[in-house]
Amino acid sequence: MKKILIINGPNLNLLGTREPEVYGSQTFEAYFELLKSESPEMDLVYFQSNHEGALIDKIHEVGFDYDGIVLNAGGYSHTSVALADAISSVKTPVVEVHISNIHSREAFRHHSFLTSRCVGIISGLGLKGYALALGYFK
Ligand code: CA2
């Protein structure tokens, strides 16, 4: 059974509570239940943190054991060389996901330090982006 970790970064614990016009109205916990029911052949694990170092520690922890990582690093995508280096330092392939289309938003969101270190990126397809990213690992 393939083991996949979904990581959400800062502020994504607020999904479903604020800015529903940008990020939808579902909590990630509820969506994660749906993901698990849609992918019974996969062992899915979820981790969320608002702390850059905790995200890096988690990538190091699983990055030689798991079959894939689906990563929405939130705002750190646009700022964090350290997170980019963590992705490069592990064996497990990472798919970058953004709920919103980062290219149709402010200019500072157009660049992600993570994209070149990931196998691919899905942006702008809402929460469905996570399901599509999982599909890559199937
Ligand atoms: O579209 C995405 O998934 C983002 O990674 C979300 C980040 C943003 O900084 C990126 O540019 C794009 C922000 C996450 C904030 O999440 C919230 C969720 C609900 C309510 C308020 C914030």
Side-chain angles (χ1 to χ4, degrees):
M1 188 180 262
K2 287 195 175 169
K3 202 159 171 130
I4 310 292
L5 175 66
I6 298 174
I7 303 179
N8 274 340
N11 300 306
L12 288 158
N13 54 310
L14 299 177
L15 279 175
T17 64
R18 298 185 212 148
E19 297 187 60
E21 64 289 353
V22 184
Y23 300 113
S25 52
Q26 200 170 14
T27 65
F28 197 82
E29 286 71 16
Y31 183 66
F32 186 59
E33 291 307 310
L34 178 73
L35 282 179
K36 284 194 289 187
S37 71
E38 283 176 352
S39 302
E41 76 283 16
M42 293 180 128
D43 184 0
L44 300 183
V45 179
Y46 175 54
F47 177 76
Q48 190 276 332
S49 177
N50 295 319
H51 303 274
E52 188 175 15
L55 298 170
I56 292 168
D57 286 344
K58 184 54 82 172
I59 290 169
H60 292 171
E61 186 186 314
V62 308
F64 292 89
D65 297 331
Y66 279 48
D67 300 291
I69 297 173
V70 175
L71 172 64
N72 184 348
Y76 287 141
S77 315
H78 316 299
T79 63
S80 181
V81 172
L83 208 42
D85 288 344
I87 295 169
S88 295
S89 73
V90 299
K91 193 169 138 274
T92 301
V94 179
V95 174
E96 179 177 1
V97 168
H98 297 284
I99 297 164
S100 62
N101 180 346
I102 57 174
H103 296 286
S104 66
R105 301 185 66 190
E106 303 96 318
F108 66 83
R109 296 187 201 275
H110 296 181
H111 177 259
S112 164
F113 283 98
L114 313 186
T115 308
S116 64
R117 318 294 179 92
C118 290
V119 287
I121 175 171
I122 297 168
S123 180
L125 302 182
L127 288 177
K128 195 169 185 183
Y130 294 89
L132 294 167
L134 287 181
Y136 170 73
F137 293 113
K138 282 184 180 170

